[in-house]
Amino acid sequence: MSVIDWLLDGDPAVLTGIALLIGLAAVAQAIAGAGNAVEGGGFLVDLFGARIVFLIAGLGVLLVLLPVMLVLRRAEAAGPEPGPDYPSP
């Protein structure tokens, strides 16, 4: 792991935290994703090739998305949570 990998991975996280606009946060996260790819995916591409790595990444996203969608669907069916009861002035 090089200093460039750390900068591509860490600095965008800070930018996301201080971003006042959603567009800046999105750009910062795109840069962070590139940093993660350089840091973590390079050796996998060397071992398996780019096609297999993309398949693994895509299947991983789908495996995570399935339980998230089930939880969101259950929360949507339950309806909104009641707000706090504030005392009358």
Side-chain angles (χ1 to χ4, degrees), residues 2 11 14-15 30 68:
S2 70
D11 288 346
V14 173
L15 288 175
V68 169

Side-chain angles (χ1 to χ4, degrees), residues 40-59:
F43 73 94
L44 292 175
V45 172
D46 289 342
L47 282 175
F48 302 113
R51 179 175 288 178
I52 299 298
V53 172
F54 275 114
L55 286 172
I56 292 169
L59 290 173

Side-chain angles (χ1 to χ4, degrees), residues 21-47:
L21 302 172
I22 190 72
L24 179 60
V27 169
Q29 285 302 301
I31 294 169
N36 276 338
V38 169
E39 179 183 349
F43 73 94
L44 292 175
V45 172
D46 289 342
L47 282 175

